[in-house]
Structures are given as C-alpha cells and as structure tokens.
Amino acid sequence: MSDANQSPAASTADAAPMADDGADTAGTPPAAVRKPAARSATRRPRDTDGADSGRLFVTALARGLDVLSAFRASDGPLGNQELAERTGLPKPTVSRITHTLMEMGYLSYNPRLANYELGGRTLKLAFTALERLDIRRIARPLMQELANNGDMNISLTLRERLSVICIETCEGSALIGLRLPVGARMPIATTSSGKAWLAGATPEERAAVLDELKRQKPADYPKLRDAVAAAVAEVREKGFLHVDRRMAARH
C-alpha cells in the first residue's frame, strides 16, 4: 500500500481557477470545430490535498494535466465538450489544450468522430512511472507467494487523491476471484484497498482525505466516515480488513 503524495509517486498541486482566455477554437483540428457553448462551464471543486499553490504554480500546465486525467480506463474516446464537463474548464480552453496535447503526441485525434484518446507519449510516461516503482519489484515475490499459498488474487495499490490505483497484481489458481488489471482505479472509501490505505495512514492524512470526501460527496459522507472508522478499528483489532464486495458495490 503506497501513497501517491509520498514515495514512490507524487500528486500534482492545485491552483485557484483563473479567468478563461476567451473563446478560441483555433487550437482544435478543423473537423472538431463546433459552435462555442452559450456559457462557460463552472469549474468543479477539485480534490486537492490543500497544497499551497504559490507563485511557482503553472496554471496552464495544471489545466493540461487535468485534461489528461479526465480519461478513464472504462471510457471510450472523449470530445472537447465531454472533457470540458469533466474538468470544469471552459470549452474554448479545452479546445486549445487538446490541440496542443495532440501536437505533442499525448493525445490522438479521430477527425471523423471529432474526439480524442490518450496517445503514445502518455503510455510511455505511464510505463516509465511503473517501471521506476521499486516497491513493485520488492513486493512481487511476496505477493506471488501469498497468492499461491492462499489460492487468491493479490493487488498492490497506491493512493491518487480520492482513489487508489492498482500498480501490481499476482494471481493464484483460484477460478473465481476479483482480478484487477494494472491501472485499475477504485474509490478510496468503499474498497478494501482504499480502506486499508486509510487505516494505515497517519491521522493527519486520513483527516485530509475525509475532509475532501465531505466536500466532494456531502450526501454520502456520514456513511463513508462511519465505514472508514470501522475499517480503522478492524485493522487495529485484527491486523487485516475484510470488505463485502456486495456491500461495496452499492456505493
């Protein structure tokens, strides 16, 4: 269990939203040019850890990374409108960002459907990051031994904001079991890996995540808070955590 805000990976800082640069579709390939929306999207609250932006923070870079982060493994290609809705950025700004990312190889563009997918340079970054995580190399033999002895599937995850991401997986010979591919993302407060991270975190780290959950999911927060408290108590008592996947699926 690792934390993306510490070693081996680091999360990006956040900045306060800046005013849009104005309507501009010149950065979008011709087939993707559409009539600008009647009004700009409202920027959503971002799941930050409260990092101080400071004068060194590059907002344009942060916006580009937000666009890349909007793509999910379970999705198909996304257009500028969908990316604007997911990031909270104005569509003209998203159009310029996606064009720039496409030109640099971080996005690939389908002119017929006027949408984007992650490009080859994004994959290169992802694989480089995975290969440089020493914890995967150290943990894998132990994980495989446990998987073989327990006839189960073992996954290693790290935290990324309000999620945990699978960075290594080892399978036993069980015919039935949860098999998580590397790169799978799961909510931190309703999955065994996420709750395990919260149970092992410092009180300050756990409080920061709970505060963000309260802002992002106010209606669900009481249940999430109680579930996290129960997970912490179970780990302290037993040394491990059990999560009923049927119950987790309801959240």
Side-chain angles (χ1 to χ4, degrees):
M1 169 174 67
S2 304
D3 183 3
N5 298 316
Q6 302 174 357
S7 177
S11 65
T12 57
D14 270 313
M18 294 180 61
D20 181 47
D21 301 327
D24 178 10
T25 55
T28 307
V33 175
R34 300 173 182 171
K35 184 178 179 181
R39 60 181 180 178
S40 299
T42 302
R43 190 166 180 78
R44 63 175 171 79
R46 297 174 62 189
D47 42 355
T48 177
D49 292 319
D52 183 14
S53 300
R55 62 184 180 84
L56 296 178
F57 189 85
V58 182
T59 302
L61 174 60
R63 288 176 168 185
L65 294 175
D66 275 347
V67 169
L68 290 176
S69 299
F71 289 85
R72 301 165 187 160
S74 58
D75 288 336
L78 299 175
N80 286 330
Q81 181 62 45
E82 294 166 301
L83 290 168
E85 292 171 356
R86 289 193 178 187
T87 61
L89 294 170
K91 187 179 175 183
T93 299
V94 171
S95 297
R96 294 194 296 275
I97 291 172
T98 52
H99 177 72
T100 302
L101 292 171
M102 180 198 68
E103 290 290 336
M104 297 187 66
Y106 291 101
L107 291 179
S108 60
Y109 178 68
N110 184 328
R112 184 174 64 86
L113 299 176
N115 56 29
Y116 297 87
E117 291 186 289
L118 295 177
R121 292 191 73 177
T122 309
L123 292 174
K124 179 182 177 182
L125 280 178
F127 284 120
T128 299
L130 280 175
E131 289 301 318
R132 293 182 63 85
L133 289 177
D134 290 339
I135 191 171
R136 295 175 67 237
R137 173 179 52 81
I138 296 171
R140 183 171 179 81
L142 301 175
M143 292 170 59
Q144 191 62 62
E145 181 181 0
L146 181 60
N148 293 338
N149 292 340
D151 198 24
M152 64 182 72
N153 302 318
I154 308 294
S155 297
L156 177 66
T157 62
L158 60 78
R159 177 195 164 211
E160 199 280 317
R161 296 185 175 181
L162 296 184
S163 302
V164 288
I165 300 175
C166 179
I167 61 172
E168 186 61 275
T169 184
C170 294
E171 297 183 0
S173 57
L175 295 178
I176 300 177
L178 179 63
R179 289 174 169 84
L180 292 175
V182 172
R185 180 188 295 265
M186 299 156 287
I188 195 169
T190 58
T191 57
S192 56
S193 294
K195 288 181 178 179
W197 186 93
L198 288 166
T202 65
E204 295 77 14
E205 291 170 330
R206 189 161 53 246
V209 172
L210 289 172
D211 286 344
E212 192 57 43
L213 284 169
K214 187 175 183 179
R215 288 192 292 270
Q216 294 287 322
K217 302 178 182 293
D220 297 331
Y221 176 72
K223 290 182 179 179
L224 296 175
R225 177 200 58 206
D226 293 346
V228 170
V232 172
E234 183 174 354
V235 169
R236 287 176 179 171
E237 178 184 355
K238 302 178 180 178
F240 63 89
L241 174 68
H242 172 265
V243 175
D244 188 328
R245 280 185 291 168
R246 293 171 298 178
M247 295 295 292
R250 297 176 187 175
H251 299 283

